[in-house]
Amino acid sequence: TSSAAEEIISPSVQVSYTQLLIDGNFVDSASGKTFETLDPRTGEVIAHVAEGDAEDINRAVKAARKAFDEGPWPKMTAYERSRIMLRFADLVEKHSEELASLESWDNGKPYQQSLTAEIPMLARLFRYYAGWADKIHGMTVPADGNYHVQTLHEPIGVAGQIIPWNFPLLMFAWKVGPALACGNTIVLKTAEQTPLTAFYVGKLFLEAGLPPGVLNIVSGFGPTAGASLASHMDVDKLAFTGSTDTGKVILGLAANSNLKPVTLELGGKSPLIVFEDADVDKAVELAHFALFFNQGQCCCAGSRTYVHEKVYDEFVEKSKARALKRVVGDPFKKGIEQGPQIDSKQFQKILKYIRSGVESNATLECGGDKIGDKGYFIQPTVFSNVKDDMLIAQDEIFGPVQSILKFRDVDEVIRRANDTRYGLAAGVFTKNLDTANRVSRALKAGTVWVNCFDVFDAAIPFGGYKMSGTGREKGIYSLNNYLQVKAVVTALDNPAW
Ligand code: ADP
């Protein structure tokens, strides 16, 4: 672990857009209020950003409503919509360095990760959904009686979307891509920690030819801007990614207003199971990646590493060695694997969980403390001898804290892996096809990665069982979230033949 945050490198970008994007224009919030977005490397202010509230959500919904009801968006041909999305993807690539820089500055994630993983994925997701735009269609249905029956797949209307701070641009893409492909209009609320890149891509969308009002972006806080979007009577659909607690609040707001359908992508405590026949070195590396990627701030992080007793000691030793080698520091420096946590609240929460691990007598193999006195850097931390009933094995920590547990046989590990309120993802490491198949089918999780982890393709659906959420995003599955199905039943004068 290198000591961090002494040498701060400047991001190569200016903050150009800090106002709300409503009806094709960047505007101040109605109240004139702003809030600070902070640099997680230092806690210093990057920019003052417009603080949207109920009145701004109203303005944005009105613009989205008009763009939907009066056009042009749902009335344009699907091919035209597709071409705008493709042009947008080209612009993302053209501006990839500024975008990556802004993303890492606001979020703290390594610049190399933003540039080589997240920006290409952003473009890829929009190209994927651009490809769907002109391939969405209904069916003719062979009903009893003398009727011609067809289904129309229509856009649902104004989509409200609330996104978190851990992957600001990718969460934007997962939500906006399918909604636009289906012909909806959008009001998106960004997370208060990371408002900057959505405005930048909003500007690129205008440049790509997206009509005013189709995509409105409001920055602001959850209980104000977020809650008024979730409870708005003129929003037809809501998509949310964030914590399970907030997901419950959102579902209540939707139910108590206009019963808008809601998709939720929430927390997780994903098991990663290493069997005795796995390639241990590879499993160590992938388990390390599964937990520490993005500073541990992934809803699907492999945060319960179950290792077979025969390879347990070797696995723990090697995992510790790997974590000690992890390079932590300024995300703009070359070779950095881990930047700061997002903010002081998360930072304190993670340190509290580390203390709880120590107090509950898990073995602290390495790490366990913050790094430096500036910003929110935390040492890569590994606990062994973790037991299922410890807090660190039950709660989502959302930080660089790996918990390694021991198991003996397959039935036992399936039961323990499923003994959680969450069900987002899981990993299975084995060379035995029967074990892989059996465990994949038995695990109650929306994704099972076998001998890999965190493989995110635009075409692969993602979502949770149990309290990890409802609905699926990405792939063909996400389209259903943004479509209404209308059955048109026409009586025929004469028999169909
Ligand atoms: P975290 O605790 O990691 O910040 P949250 O689930 O609270 O996760 O935040 C995810 C998103 O939900 C953010 O955009 C946040 O502003 C928003 N949010 C938080 N509370 C509410 C709420 N009561 N109503 C609507 N949105 C909310």
Side-chain angles (χ1 to χ4, degrees):
T1 308
S2 73
S3 83
E6 287 121 30
E7 196 185 332
I8 299 297
I9 298 176
S10 294
S12 56
V13 66
Q14 300 280 319
V15 178
S16 306
Y17 311 105
T18 56
Q19 292 167 293
L20 314 178
L21 179 56
I22 296 179
D23 209 9
N25 297 305
F26 283 100
V27 295
D28 286 332
S29 62
S31 67
K33 280 207 274 188
T34 60
F35 66 100
E36 295 169 341
T37 186
L38 306 179
D39 183 339
R41 301 176 302 168
T42 58
E44 284 161 14
V45 178
I46 301 175
H48 293 83
V49 176
E51 184 183 331
D53 204 338
E55 204 175 328
D56 305 291
I57 292 291
N58 268 334
R59 285 197 291 169
V61 172
K62 221 173 250 166
R65 187 85 260 161
K66 186 159 163 273
F68 187 79
D69 291 345
E70 295 169 26
W73 191 240
K75 291 177 187 151
M76 282 166 78
T77 67
Y79 181 49
E80 285 172 307
R81 289 205 306 269
S82 164
R83 296 203 48 185
I84 289 172
M85 292 170 76
L86 291 172
R87 275 204 296 275
F88 169 75
D90 291 344
L91 288 170
V92 164
E93 278 172 352
K94 187 172 153 202
H95 295 278
S96 59
E97 283 170 19
E98 297 104 289
L99 263 174
S101 206
L102 206 52
E103 187 81 329
S104 286
W105 195 7
D106 214 7
N107 172 283
K109 63 181 73 206
Y111 173 74
Q112 279 307 314
Q113 176 190 325
S114 296
L115 186 69
T116 62
E118 301 191 18
I119 306 303
M121 196 63 198
L122 171 69
R124 181 71 184 90
L125 275 151
F126 276 96
R127 291 200 179 108
Y128 175 83
Y129 280 109
W132 269 118
D134 58 358
K135 294 164 196 72
I136 294 165
H137 49 72
M139 296 187 272
T140 54
V141 181
D144 288 348
N146 203 16
Y147 303 100
H148 170 65
V149 181
Q150 55 184 320
T151 56
L152 304 180
H153 290 189
E154 299 177 342
I156 199 162
V158 175
Q161 306 183 322
I162 300 176
I163 60 173
W165 47 262
N166 57 341
F167 293 94
L169 283 173
L170 289 181
M171 293 301 100
F172 173 93
W174 289 22
K175 301 261 178 304
V176 172
L180 289 185
C182 295
N184 299 274
T185 61
I186 296 168
V187 177
L188 175 120
K189 192 199 85 69
T190 46
E192 55 273 29
Q193 295 88 344
T194 52
L196 297 179
T197 45
F199 291 141
Y200 194 105
V201 289
K203 175 71 181 169
L204 295 185
F205 252 124
L206 296 177
E207 215 176 303
L210 193 75
V214 176
L215 171 63
N216 305 278
I217 301 172
V218 177
S219 49
F221 293 89
T224 50
S228 51
L229 186 57
S231 54
H232 205 287
M233 291 301 287
D234 219 13
V235 169
D236 302 304
K237 191 260 166 329
L238 194 72
F240 169 78
T241 297
S243 62
T244 295
D245 286 346
T246 304
K248 288 183 179 179
V249 173
I250 298 256
L251 199 56
L253 293 172
N256 291 319
S257 51
N258 63 347
L259 277 175
K260 55 182 81 60
V262 180
T263 40
L264 300 171
E265 204 264 272
L266 308 173
K269 193 71 187 175
S270 299
L272 187 158
I273 306 170
V274 181
F275 286 92
E276 58 179 300
D277 65 344
D279 177 332
V280 173
D281 291 326
K282 210 169 135 192
V284 165
E285 186 57 38
L286 278 162
H288 177 85
F289 168 66
L291 188 282
F292 291 98
F293 175 59
N294 207 46
Q295 293 69 248
Q297 302 167 145
C298 296
C299 46
C300 57
S303 52
R304 290 183 294 149
T305 309
Y306 286 98
V307 181
H308 191 271
E309 59 180 5
K310 282 203 182 134
V311 289
Y312 185 83
D313 291 341
E314 180 190 357
F315 188 95
V316 169
E317 217 33 62
K318 288 180 168 168
S319 295
K320 173 184 174 177
R322 178 63 186 89
L324 285 169
K325 271 204 317 222
R326 188 167 184 79
V327 190
V328 186
D330 190 307
F332 286 95
K333 258 196 198 159
K334 263 213 173 93
I336 291 294
E337 296 177 285
Q338 180 178 319
Q341 309 306 127
I342 187 72
D343 63 12
S344 133
K345 187 178 136 208
Q346 293 291 328
F347 176 76
Q348 295 301 343
K349 189 180 111 182
I350 295 160
L351 292 173
K352 209 173 97 200
Y353 275 117
I354 292 175
R355 283 196 296 275
S356 131
V358 171
E359 282 158 17
S360 59
N361 288 325
T363 308
L364 180 65
E365 296 284 346
C366 64
D369 209 349
K370 61 177 185 164
I371 303 174
D373 294 318
K374 220 185 204 181
Y376 312 121
F377 296 87
I378 293 183
Q379 293 173 343
T381 298
V382 176
F383 281 109
S384 65
N385 296 315
V386 177
K387 302 285 180 279
D388 292 351
D389 60 358
M390 292 178 184
L391 216 53
I392 55 168
Q394 299 205 339
D395 288 6
E396 185 173 44
I397 300 175
F398 231 60
V401 183
Q402 185 176 30
S403 294
I404 310 181
L405 306 92
K406 191 188 283 187
F407 76 92
R408 188 165 291 171
D409 73 61
V410 63
D411 290 318
E412 169 210 335
V413 80
I414 288 170
R415 181 181 48 73
R416 291 170 63 194
N418 281 335
D419 188 15
T420 165
R421 58 190 181 277
Y422 294 117
L424 196 55
V428 181
F429 288 75
T430 176
K431 287 183 186 141
N432 184 319
L433 196 60
D434 294 330
T435 308
N437 284 332
R438 178 170 165 210
V439 178
S440 307
R441 279 166 166 69
L443 290 173
K444 305 252 180 294
T447 300
V448 180
W449 284 296
V450 180
N451 294 329
C452 59
F453 208 90
D454 278 350
V455 177
F456 286 103
D457 188 279
I460 302 176
F462 186 82
Y465 283 37
K466 298 192 261 181
M467 286 173 74
S468 288
T470 55
R472 294 292 177 272
E473 294 188 299
K474 297 195 292 136
I476 189 172
Y477 296 90
S478 199
L479 299 174
N480 293 334
N481 302 334
Y482 292 99
L483 292 170
Q484 279 284 19
V485 176
K486 179 185 285 173
V488 180
V489 183
T490 309
L492 296 173
D493 272 349
N494 298 302
W497 56 86

